Amino acid sequence: MKVLKFGGTSVANAQNIKLVLEIIKQNAEKDKLVVVVSALSKVTDLLHLAAAKAAENDESFRDIVAEIEKKHLETLKELIPVSEQSSLLSHVKRIINHLETLLDGCFLLGELSPRTADTILSFGELLSSYIIAQAYQQINKDAVYKDSRELIKTNNDFSKAVVNFEISNVLIQEYFAENQSNINILPGFIAQTLDGITSTLGRGGSDYTAAIIAGAMNAEQLEIWTDVNGMFTANPKIVKQAQPIAAISYQEAMELSHFGAKVLYPPTIQPVLRKNIPILIKNTFEPEAEGTLITNQAPSNGAAVRGISHIDHISLLTLEGPGMIGVSGSSKRLFEVLSHEKINVIFITQASSEHSICIGILNSDAENAEEAINKAFEVEILQNKIDPCIVEKDLCIIALVGENMKNHQGLSGRMFSTLGKNNVNIRAIAQGASERNISAVINERDVKKALNTLHENFFEENTKQLNLFVMGVGNVGEKFIEQIHSQKKFLKDVLKINVRVIALSNSRKMFFDEDGISLKDWQSTLDKGETAIPTEFIARAKELNLRNSIFVDITANASVSEMYEKFLKESIAVVTCNKIACSSAYDNYKKLKSLSRQYNAPFLFETNVGAGLPIIDTVKNLIASGDKVHKIQAVLSGSLNFIFNNFDENNSFHDVVKEAGVQGFTEPDPKIDLSGIDVARKILILIRESGYEMDIDAIANESFLPAECLATTNNEDFFASLIKHSQHFENIYKEALAKDSRLKYVAQFENGKASVGLLFIPKDHPFYNLEGKDNIVLFYTDRYVDQPLLIKGAGAGAAVTASGIFADVIRIGNI
């Protein structure tokens, strides 16, 4: 004999029920079957709602009953031939009339007792099982309907009735000994007290019904048919990369189901565990899928963790105070109070000092529990020996589960380190003595990030997913996106980094996609986006709360740089080529660095100096290794180097500056480059990264531009002023020729003083032969005294700047 149970989604409508009938038919060719069915999908919820409305004297319960009636009559009409429908429809209507009579009673009395609630909730399974039994009899007359209330007896604890196995097992065995039908179809979830009153086995109790029958009959196998391919390594609705578990032990399945794996109702395992009856979880909609087999000894795949689960809507109650230390019976009193109030404790942890005890319960029980606990410990609270009960709501329990966890050291550290890196705060921790699970209480808003982060760490071959929020898609931004798109496969296959662009924004539009934006045609996607609002961009990134989130700023906008603080405080890393933040007031620079450490959110800005050159990283490594920088000489503007390398008697200064803009070497406002402010910002950042405190106004800026050029307020006027003062620039060039020198815009730092300005560089200087748009930096340190440390290479251009930003993103992926 095999016992098959079909859940609510499997019998949601006539179309799904036809799949169920086919599965029953195929199995009946090999085995004698017991088929247990749940109510049609959502019907139990509707019954709950109707009962609540009736008890509140709300006439709308009648509309709900009409909806329930319509749902069942339509299903029956689709499954049963017209010639056979008349008596069956009448039977269904009689059941609905009985339901309405009970609800009328609730309406008139204005109350709903647990006993009445159980009777009302039973109608879902009674209706579905009757319709399915009648539908299968159209295929095979050797199928009979049996009311499971006649077989399963319970106590009078309505809504969570306790099964009397001694009596129930005898009734089940006697019935099947007498009944020779090959197929028996029964309602799940419902039972009956010894005095004949309908009771229920708790939400999800249809699984339990099937297990009780399987255990009583020593069935060959219990099959749970649902809408997923078995138990998964995590909830696949939250963790897209979750994988089905082929085999698992009873103990592991119990732990996962207790901690929220909804595929299996937790009490289901106990009746079959004692008889060592396998449980097979299968998908009604993919019956060919392997599913999950639950047995006493599941084969090990070598992994320490078998699955990750969670329970939502948890409240943490803490009872603490000096009056608990060394006082026996405090815990007993606490749990007696909760037991008396019929409150289920899901999670327990106690400080070794006995100063406090923490319990996790459902949010819906929190208010009642708080009141009962404070009343029970009223005397101690008045005497200030114990504090009033502390209640924290809207929490979640996450749990790692695995039979082999006890054989692997460091799992707790790995779990908590993984969560900590994503700033998931842990409120409480517990580990069972069996070492099959490690559970922690976290904020409910962090559950998606926590589950995905843990699953990535324990199940995805250490592939790390990076979620990018990109602002600024001009020349550099476009190249950056191209590089991500072209390197995506390499990063995933070789570096085990999966880069997804979650959001894109320019000055006009922004677009979000939690599953990642397709980069093949991202421009048209962005054009379809909503109006770009920076505050909304931050709010959406915060709301998504994705693991390994990175804000990528590819703008030169001051207001965007002011957003970094908010991102860092949400543990969202910041990668930027925007120099404004790091060259702002020293206190702000230090605050951003401090926030980065405090919230474990990297703040990387390698492209602030030298585009893709590893200049800032080199300085960091020098300082970290104990070296000290005394002097810096540098050509830090690739655009200015390009301009002065190409400015000669054949090319006017105006035309060369124009060309630099076309090539993408200058900022959108070229005056930022030519005024020297851009170079001043760069040398300031290097000075600060070298360990010195300095602000921008301390840097001497010896501008080569005429005052009229500096005073312009737009690009058109600026370029017009370059033409007007062309003779000024020609004179500078002629002076350089006369001195047999080349023009270079140089930044210098020594003895606590810094300057930027145009210099005449002689032939014997390292800067003389600096070509094109290259940058060069000379560091004189304790270790590099006679010969400076020299870094040289392309320091401007969209592609190299984009590659520097890309490198910072990958650096975060490797942390």
Side-chain angles (χ1 to χ4, degrees), residues 141-170:
K141 295 295 182 184
D142 190 29
V144 298
Y145 170 77
K146 179 64 176 176
D147 190 337
S148 52
R149 291 177 294 183
E150 298 173 15
L151 305 179
I152 300 175
K153 302 299 177 181
T154 70
N155 66 3
N156 289 55
D157 191 4
F158 295 102
S159 81
K160 293 180 182 178
V162 177
V163 175
N164 186 321
F165 281 96
E166 186 177 350
I167 296 174
S168 300
N169 286 345
V170 171

Side-chain angles (χ1 to χ4, degrees), residues 249-256 273 295-296 401 403 436:
S249 71
Y250 290 128
Q251 289 76 17
E252 289 170 326
M254 276 194 289
E255 294 282 1
L256 285 173
L273 185 151
T295 58
N296 193 36
V401 173
E403 192 73 34
R436 286 194 193 99

Side-chain angles (χ1 to χ4, degrees), residues 426-497:
I426 297 171
R427 292 291 304 109
I429 301 166
Q431 182 168 11
S434 67
E435 298 184 56
R436 286 194 193 99
N437 88 70
I438 305 169
S439 47
V441 179
I442 64 172
N443 194 303
E444 202 165 65
R445 71 178 292 270
D446 288 329
V447 66
K448 182 174 183 179
K449 178 163 64 173
L451 290 176
N452 277 279
T453 301
L454 290 171
H455 193 274
E456 181 179 82
N457 192 287
F458 286 99
F459 291 101
E460 297 175 38
E461 298 180 355
N462 289 325
T463 297
K464 190 171 187 177
Q465 183 171 288
L466 303 181
N467 297 298
L468 309 189
F469 298 80
V470 181
M471 187 170 283
V473 286
N475 290 338
V476 176
E478 186 173 340
K479 293 293 183 183
F480 174 67
I481 294 169
E482 285 177 8
Q483 290 172 11
I484 291 176
H485 185 47
S486 65
Q487 289 297 102
K488 190 173 179 66
K489 187 176 187 303
F490 171 83
L491 293 174
K492 195 166 185 179
D493 293 346
V494 179
L495 299 183
K496 302 299 181 185
I497 296 174

